[in-house]
Amino acid sequence: QVQVVESGGGLVQAGGSLRLSCTASGLTFDDYAMGWFRQAPGKEREGVSCICWSGDRTYYADSVKGRFTISRDNAKNTLYLQMNNLKPEDTAMYYCAAEKAVWRGRCGAPADYDYWGQGTQVTVSS
């Protein structure tokens, strides 16, 4: 049984930092491209940052480029998202997702992903 579990969300002031983690079990982690998505109330789920299976190719949405860093540790089956200089508009539920053996050079559509976590809330106060 595949399990994907996010952690690290919380409440932070604008300009602060958070580090999200996502641990996956029940799958061969390095067979999967991984992504971080977010969804704010009333908005569609959007791809924030994605990373290929080996970790040497990444993608960032324009809204987070230069502030967020995605990484993965395949030995630990863990994906990370370091978020710096957070803004109120970053407030959302953040989800981790896994897609087998595909790298598009960008995040895919949410429907493309095979497994999802339950999400972790990030709230940035102004």
Side-chain angles (χ1 to χ4, degrees), residues 51-73:
I51 190 168
C52 73
W53 68 272
S54 62
D56 61 351
R57 288 167 286 176
T58 57
Y59 164 85
Y60 296 93
D62 287 344
S63 58
V64 306
K65 206 170 289 184
R67 299 187 298 122
F68 290 11
T69 302
I70 192 170
S71 62
R72 65 190 294 164
D73 185 338

Side-chain angles (χ1 to χ4, degrees), residues 11-83:
L11 173 64
V12 63
Q13 288 188 328
S17 298
L18 285 172
R19 189 193 197 201
L20 305 184
S21 298
C22 166
T23 300
S25 60
L27 52 73
T28 304
F29 188 69
D30 56 9
D31 278 351
Y32 287 79
M34 300 295 296
W36 287 101
F37 289 73
R38 67 186 180 187
Q39 188 167 19
K43 295 189 176 181
E44 292 187 354
R45 192 168 296 192
E46 62 171 348
V48 174
S49 181
C50 293
I51 190 168
C52 73
W53 68 272
S54 62
D56 61 351
R57 288 167 286 176
T58 57
Y59 164 85
Y60 296 93
D62 287 344
S63 58
V64 306
K65 206 170 289 184
R67 299 187 298 122
F68 290 11
T69 302
I70 192 170
S71 62
R72 65 190 294 164
D73 185 338
N74 288 346
K76 296 182 178 180
N77 282 18
T78 301
L79 175 73
Y80 303 100
L81 186 68
Q82 178 66 44
M83 305 186 294

Side-chain angles (χ1 to χ4, degrees), residues 1 3 8 12 20 23 39 41 45 50 52 58-61 64 74 90-91 93-96 103 114 120-121 126:
Q1 182 180 358
Q3 287 191 314
V12 63
L20 305 184
T23 300
Q39 188 167 19
R45 192 168 296 192
C50 293
C52 73
T58 57
Y59 164 85
Y60 296 93
V64 306
N74 288 346
D90 295 318
T91 295
M93 186 72 80
Y94 282 70
Y95 298 92
C96 171
W103 177 246
D114 302 300
T120 186
Q121 178 68 38
S126 57

